[in-house]
Amino acid sequence: MVTFAPPMDISEAKAKLSPLMTQAVHEHAPVRIARRGETDEVVLLSRRQLLEQVLSQEALAVTMTAEEGAFVATIPGLGLIGAGETVDSAMTELREAVDEHVYEFFSNLRFWEETTHMAYFRPLLRYFLMNTDERLRLLMGDEQDKELDPTGKP
């Protein structure tokens, strides 16, 4: 039977944060840290690439439509919308709306735990881990390769 080392106490982790980051990132060994030995208050230090690999299948479903000379990009399940004269401008506006939502989501996670938005935790976490350019590419998905004219025809 394998037993895991107990999580490191936060006081000890604060004193050793730089070496712990090296262990998690460069030695590919995630580190668990807990507050005063509590098992329900645990954080994990890990390589970003490992988390991205685990979350690689998570995505936000974006719908793109063209209406009266404008493009509208939406994430229906989250009620987020971006609009613009081009696909790129609509997607950029949508990315800004998602950025705001992700900030609010992770700033007030206790509130969101009580809503249907919690079903979006994994795709929002994947989005949160990415830089700005990667976020736009994630949202664009297949839309990157599509050309729509303002009448909505491919």
Side-chain angles (χ1 to χ4, degrees):
M1 180 176 167
V2 175
T3 47
F4 294 102
M8 179 179 294
D9 184 73
I10 194 165
S11 299
E12 183 182 355
K14 280 193 250 182
K16 299 178 178 180
L17 188 56
S18 182
L20 290 173
M21 287 295 290
T22 298
Q23 177 184 338
V25 175
H26 298 292
E27 298 171 16
H28 308 273
V31 177
R32 295 184 306 152
I33 301 170
R35 185 187 310 261
R36 293 182 289 280
E38 302 238 359
T39 58
D40 61 341
E41 292 187 27
V42 176
V43 296
L44 176 70
L45 294 178
S46 178
R47 289 180 36 236
R48 177 182 163 206
Q49 293 86 348
L50 176 62
L51 292 173
E52 287 174 352
Q53 183 179 1
V54 168
L55 298 169
S56 67
Q57 299 302 308
E58 300 296 331
L60 297 166
V62 175
T63 302
M64 177 68 70
T65 58
E67 301 173 6
E68 299 179 16
F71 294 94
V72 179
T74 61
I75 300 175
L78 295 175
L80 302 175
I81 299 171
E85 293 180 4
T86 65
V87 170
D88 287 344
S89 62
M91 292 304 294
T92 298
E93 190 173 297
L94 179 63
R95 187 198 67 222
E96 291 168 2
V98 176
D99 286 352
E100 290 177 23
H101 183 74
V102 165
Y103 176 80
E104 177 68 25
F105 183 84
F106 286 109
S107 296
N108 297 296
L109 198 53
R110 178 160 280 152
F111 168 78
W112 294 107
E113 285 177 330
E114 305 299 322
T115 72
T116 58
H117 284 225
M118 208 51 199
Y120 292 90
F121 179 84
R122 290 188 312 247
L124 291 174
L125 180 58
R126 180 180 181 206
Y127 183 91
F128 179 69
L129 290 169
M130 297 178 153
N131 67 41
T132 302
D133 292 335
E134 293 171 324
R135 289 174 180 165
L136 187 55
R137 281 194 298 275
L138 176 65
L139 291 176
M140 294 283 287
D142 293 334
E143 296 299 324
Q144 279 183 310
D145 302 321
K146 291 182 185 172
E147 290 291 329
L148 293 177
D149 70 25
T151 64
K153 297 176 184 167

